[in-house]
Amino acid sequence: QVQLVESGGGSVQAGGSLRLSCAASGYTYTNGCMGWFRQVPGKEREAVANFNYDGGTNYADSVKGRFTISLHNAKNTLYLQMDSLKPEDTATYYCAARANSLRCWSVLAPSYFIFWGQGTQVTVSS
């Protein structure tokens, strides 16, 4: 079965950087799509960025120019490099994957993804 395990969260001051990792197992992603989402208590989970294995990335407007999503194929690991962090980036960050062979044509809602990790907390202080 597919397992996604996030790591790399932590606490950082505004303007700092963090890199999140998502180790994927059991996911055959010749043409799939994986993404990052975030959620704060009392609010809906929101899309941050996604990565298509056949090319192409999509970013939420709120993180464009600051966050970079990438994939290390050999390690089966998805990354989210977060730079110029702001207090409003504070959230629990989740890694997710679509069913095999389904692409992401834009920033997609959580309902399009069927596999999820357990989340990792990111806290940005001012």
Side-chain angles (χ1 to χ4, degrees):
Q1 70 275 20
V2 175
Q3 286 192 319
L4 305 175
V5 180
E6 303 97 334
S7 62
S11 297
V12 65
Q13 288 193 326
S17 298
L18 283 174
R19 188 177 78 159
L20 305 183
S21 300
C22 173
S25 61
Y27 186 64
T28 56
Y29 27 72
T30 303
N31 293 304
C33 173
M34 294 184 67
W36 287 97
F37 293 79
R38 65 188 181 187
Q39 188 171 24
V40 297
K43 293 190 176 182
E44 292 187 354
R45 191 167 296 187
E46 66 173 358
V48 175
N50 57 52
F51 183 99
N52 288 294
Y53 284 84
D54 61 354
T57 57
N58 299 287
Y59 293 91
D61 288 342
S62 60
V63 306
K64 279 181 182 177
R66 300 188 298 121
F67 291 10
T68 304
I69 190 170
S70 62
L71 174 75
H72 193 302
N73 272 314
K75 294 183 179 179
N76 296 351
T77 300
L78 183 74
Y79 298 102
L80 184 69
Q81 177 66 41
M82 305 186 295
D83 299 318
S84 302
L85 282 161
K86 303 176 181 180
E88 51 264 44
D89 294 319
T90 295
T92 301
Y93 283 71
Y94 298 90
C95 172
R98 299 203 70 195
N100 292 347
S101 300
L102 295 180
R103 299 186 75 255
C104 293
W105 58 91
S106 68
V107 177
L108 298 180
S111 58
Y112 286 90
F113 293 75
I114 63 171
F115 304 111
W116 291 88
Q118 81 290 349
T120 185
Q121 178 67 35
V122 171
T123 302
V124 184
S125 58
S126 57

